[in-house]
Amino acid sequence: MTLAAHQNRTGLPEQAPADDRAWALKNALEAKGLIPAGFNEGWKKTFEEDYTPRRGAELVARAWTDPEFRELLLSDGTAAVARYGYLGAQGEYIRALADTPTVKNVIVCSLCSCTAWPILGLPPTWYKGFEYRARVVREPRRVLAELGTTIPDDVEIKVYDTTAETRYMVLPMRPAGTEGWDAERLANIVTKDCLIGVALPSADVVVEHPNT
Amino acid sequence: MDGVHDLAGKQGFGPVPHTANGPIGDTFKYDWEHLGYSLLFLGVTNGYFTLDEVRHAVERIEPKHYLTTPYYERYIIGAATLMVEKGVLTHDELEAATGGPFPLALPVTSPGRPARENRETFEVGDKVRVTGDHFAGHVRYPAFCRGKVGTVQHRTGMTWPFPDAAGHGRSDGGAEPSYHVEFDGAELFGDDTDAGAVVVDLFEGYLERVA
């Protein structure tokens, strides 16, 4: 059976490979002179190099060590992030969600993939995947446990669905064993998953901060 | 629209392919993927369409096509669809440049709508109900909260174009704040949930006061 016949049988449209279509769209626009020089490359650099979870980790570490900043971050996240110059596309209005001994916050965008890009980095594939989008609003405790994050039964889980223009970050609780650490050392235990809310920071988990 | 994109609360999906703090790889897996975002920003920057229209275009991808298409490819299709619909490119030009078929999203089936006129302003702590309307155009609320009652937890300090209008290229939708409305898990999903609460960011025009 040819590929086309197979696609017809399943009701899917015949289509050229994704990379051919993507570059063709760019080339066709470029041929009309509609793309300023360096436009796509500039965004690519922003996505890969500027928008990183290291920024969110810095904000968390500062909030853990500076009560005044913590208060600002929680009362006006946008202003707090602006102090760092970290506002940007898909991160114009920020709200930080503080975990407490009785509440664990988790974020999702069930309709697409919205995330606070400038301070969390672009959403990873699993966050954009159908499994997470479908399941986490309904069974967050089970999803987190499957990922390896067990939340005690007496802690309520609140799921924030990013369905408008607010972009959230989770402010986790500072873990035990980090007494006396400075902000830079603290930032090294705040991962992208901690900022999304599906992992808890731990004094034992020092992570590399990939640009993703 | 109650499209296939509205996945929240749907059952039958398997495990999330990830472990906490596990590796997630590079920002882009393939060298073309960044075009999915940068070309939609080109369209927005050049004034061809709004980000809400991009979301709507992706939601209009035929359901089987949507469900079998990886993430960045859906945004390539969304951007291409709007470039054609806005007259920036023709579909023929696109397919000639591709050297093969380039199926687009399905046509718009609704003219969109402006915001409700009898909107109310709410304060933190107010009880609100999500309007019970059904609308074939672009909306920014998940179906699971339609008609449900929750409590305003936060009122945003900014306003944004009403998506049901902006998603259709209309300029008569005005701008509104949104509210972070907290719903009990049980209000949304009965006893078939382990969520204590779900908070949904809802435009003012979607909400009604509950006495």
Side-chain angles (χ1 to χ4, degrees), chain A residues 10-29 32 34-36 39-41 43-44 47-48 75 78 89-90 92-93 95 109-114 117 122-124 126 128 130-143 146-149 156-168 191-194 198-200 205 207 210-212, chain B residues 5-11 13-22 24-28 31-32 34-35 37-39 41-42 45-46 48 51-52 55 59 62 64-69 71-77 79-80 83 88-89 93-94 97-98 100-103 139-142 144 153-158 160 178 180 182 189 192-203:
Chain A
T10 57
L12 292 173
E14 198 180 332
Q15 55 189 354
D19 56 340
D20 288 355
R21 280 177 285 141
W23 290 115
L25 178 59
K26 176 177 190 272
N27 293 339
L29 293 164
K32 290 181 183 263
L34 299 175
I35 308 184
F39 185 89
N40 300 98
E41 296 75 12
W43 273 113
K44 183 171 188 282
F47 296 142
E48 291 183 328
S75 62
T78 311
Q90 291 301 295
E92 293 95 346
Y93 185 90
R95 186 168 171 221
C109 175
S110 69
L111 299 175
C112 42
S113 62
C114 297
W117 291 357
L122 294 192
W126 64 266
K128 298 176 294 196
F130 299 149
E131 295 88 355
Y132 186 71
R133 284 168 51 192
R135 291 183 59 204
V136 81
V137 294
R138 188 169 190 138
E139 44 181 3
R141 191 176 301 276
R142 191 166 156 192
V143 169
E146 288 173 9
L147 293 175
T149 303
E156 179 190 23
I157 302 186
K158 279 191 191 182
V159 183
Y160 282 76
D161 198 347
T162 314
T163 46
E165 301 302 330
T166 306
R167 298 292 173 263
Y168 301 104
T191 65
K192 187 179 186 104
D193 282 2
C194 293
V198 298
L200 298 170
V205 180
V207 292
N211 292 332
T212 48
Chain B
H5 68 283
D6 183 357
L7 286 161
K10 296 289 187 294
Q11 295 170 298
F13 284 88
V16 176
H18 182 58
T19 52
N21 292 332
I24 53 175
D26 295 332
T27 304
F28 299 108
D31 65 355
W32 58 268
H34 68 94
L35 297 172
Y37 281 163
S38 62
L39 289 176
F41 278 122
L42 179 83
T45 303
N46 286 4
Y48 304 143
L51 193 52
D52 292 283
R55 294 192 183 112
E59 292 162 7
E62 192 279 328
K64 289 186 295 293
H65 195 193
Y66 180 100
L67 287 171
T68 52
T69 301
Y71 180 82
Y72 284 112
E73 210 177 315
R74 295 201 296 274
Y75 285 81
I76 293 290
I77 295 170
M83 293 291 183
V88 180
L89 294 172
E93 286 170 338
L94 201 51
T98 309
F102 196 141
V139 297
R140 286 296 284 174
Y141 61 79
F144 71 71
Q153 189 204 64
H154 176 92
R155 181 187 178 186
T156 58
M158 286 172 68
W160 296 274
S178 70
H180 303 169
E182 181 170 329
F189 302 119
D192 190 19
T193 179
D194 60 38
V198 180
V199 181
V200 186
D201 190 4
L202 294 161
F203 276 82

Side-chain angles (χ1 to χ4, degrees), chain A residues 102-114:
Chain A
T102 55
V103 175
K104 175 80 199 90
N105 299 291
V106 182
I107 64 176
V108 64
C109 175
S110 69
L111 299 175
C112 42
S113 62
C114 297

